[in-house]
Amino acid sequence: MSAASLFQARGLVKRFGGLLATDHVDLAVEKGEIHALIGPNGAGKSTLVNLISGLLPLDGGSLSLDGVELTGLAPHQRVRAGLSRCFQVTSVFGHDTVLDNLLLAAQAHAGSSFRFLSRRSAEKELMDTALALAETVDLAGALHRIAGTLPHGAQRKLDVALALAARPRLLLLDEPMAGMGPEDSLQMVALIEKLRAQTAILLIEHDMDAVFQLADRVSVLDYGRVLASGDVDYIKGHPEVQAVYLGTDTET
Ligand SMILES: Nc1ncnc2c1ncn2[C@@H]1O[C@H](COP(=O)(O)OP(=O)(O)OP(=O)(O)O)[C@@H](O)[C@H]1O
Ligand SMILES: [Mg+2]
């Protein structure tokens, strides 16, 4: 962890009754980095993401992004500070069109400079933003589809676009490939690789092919602790990691 890390988590602690779900976790994400977080079921990955995004209160530790202290901030304040997330369960408005979802997200994150624009200019700016987001996630051909009727893979892409509307500097992705077939997974890998140019990413994923393809750094959680952290080759060769995770996770 260098002093210049984009994101730093120090000594994070979360207890659920007697269970130490997050056990003094230190984690850093550098600018431009895709940092993958892996670990067996129940290791504490989602809990960690919920602590970082502010959905769960911390029992200890602190967080900062780009030198801004996030500890104690509400989730929407963290989004404003540059931290955006996708959910394991998709967060799109199913009865609205893809375009309406994107317009809504663009509007929610429009800066205060909008106050000085005419209504016409503001609407054009929102439309441009929405179309650019659709382009980024490869949904420009589906703008007028009702979001809830899209195939699963396309809904996940829309979910990513909604998170991108906040112009994050750190994007949290909790199992973006969950429930996807091979074709959709490949497309999601390509999308995440493309996003590297605009935001750092903390990626939680069970699909090891995807993790090893995308990650600059991998941290392994086990019983709420960071068991190991390093580049892909280091993690692949780490005996304890193989024992607790890779060796037992034969399906991926
Ligand atoms: N709200 C909660 N109340 C009590 N215990 C919880 C709560 N949320 C999670 N836990 C427990 O904390 C531990 C970590 O759970 P978590 O969901 O963070 O794991 P995970 O690594 O995301 O697992 P998975 O790979 O299955 O998504 C588990 O033992 C879980 O049962
Ligand atoms: Mg989880």
Side-chain angles (χ1 to χ4, degrees):
M1 189 187 302
S2 75
S5 292
L6 174 75
F7 171 79
Q8 291 194 350
R10 304 166 218 89
L12 301 188
V13 172
K14 184 66 194 178
R15 292 190 182 82
F16 294 118
L19 175 75
L20 196 51
T22 308
D23 186 0
H24 300 86
V25 166
D26 294 325
L27 193 76
V29 184
E30 312 301 329
K31 198 163 181 290
E33 185 182 48
I34 298 180
H35 190 141
L37 194 60
I38 66 172
N41 293 117
K45 305 180 296 297
S46 293
T47 300
L48 191 53
V49 167
N50 290 335
L51 293 174
I52 293 172
S53 61
L55 278 186
L56 280 174
L58 284 163
D59 292 322
S62 63
L63 305 153
S64 62
L65 181 67
D66 234 354
V68 175
E69 204 50 41
L70 300 179
T71 322
L73 293 188
H76 71 274
Q77 293 171 313
R78 296 184 194 202
V79 174
R80 215 170 292 147
L83 187 89
S84 192
R85 74 173 289 178
C86 286
F87 288 85
Q88 213 164 341
V89 178
T90 197
S91 58
V92 304
F93 293 104
H95 297 294
D96 293 330
T97 64
V98 168
L99 181 59
D100 284 342
N101 270 277
L102 293 172
L103 284 170
L104 213 62
Q107 187 163 34
H109 300 293
S112 53
S113 61
F114 259 64
R115 276 182 290 145
F116 304 109
L117 294 179
S118 69
R119 179 160 164 214
R120 225 186 149 83
S121 307
E123 279 175 1
K124 173 161 188 330
E125 196 136 319
L126 288 178
M127 184 59 81
D128 289 348
T129 302
L131 294 179
L133 288 167
E135 199 71 52
T136 299
V137 301
D138 203 17
L139 285 177
L143 290 174
H144 303 294
R145 296 276 302 271
I146 301 294
T149 68
L150 290 172
H152 178 69
Q155 290 201 25
R156 299 313 303 256
K157 287 182 187 169
L158 180 55
D159 201 20
V160 170
L162 298 182
L164 288 176
R167 299 179 212 271
R169 270 166 294 167
L170 177 63
L171 178 65
L172 307 178
L173 298 173
D174 194 355
E175 299 198 35
M177 282 83 163
M180 281 187 179
E183 178 67 21
D184 282 340
S185 291
L186 282 178
Q187 286 189 26
M188 186 55 83
V189 167
L191 172 57
I192 292 170
E193 183 60 52
K194 185 164 80 169
L195 296 182
R196 182 198 285 282
Q198 58 184 92
T199 178
I201 294 171
L202 184 63
L203 170 70
I204 294 180
E205 187 47 60
H206 281 293
D207 180 338
M208 285 304 115
D209 289 339
V211 164
F212 290 149
Q213 204 175 325
L214 286 167
D216 301 299
R217 195 147 45 124
V218 182
S219 291
V220 185
L221 273 191
D222 190 35
Y223 294 107
R225 293 180 306 119
V226 178
L227 182 70
S229 186
D231 66 21
V232 166
D233 288 338
Y234 172 79
I235 294 299
K236 278 181 175 172
H238 195 287
E240 261 186 287
V241 173
Q242 289 172 344
V244 305
Y245 189 60
L246 299 174
T248 57
D249 194 38
T250 48
E251 61 181 345
T252 49

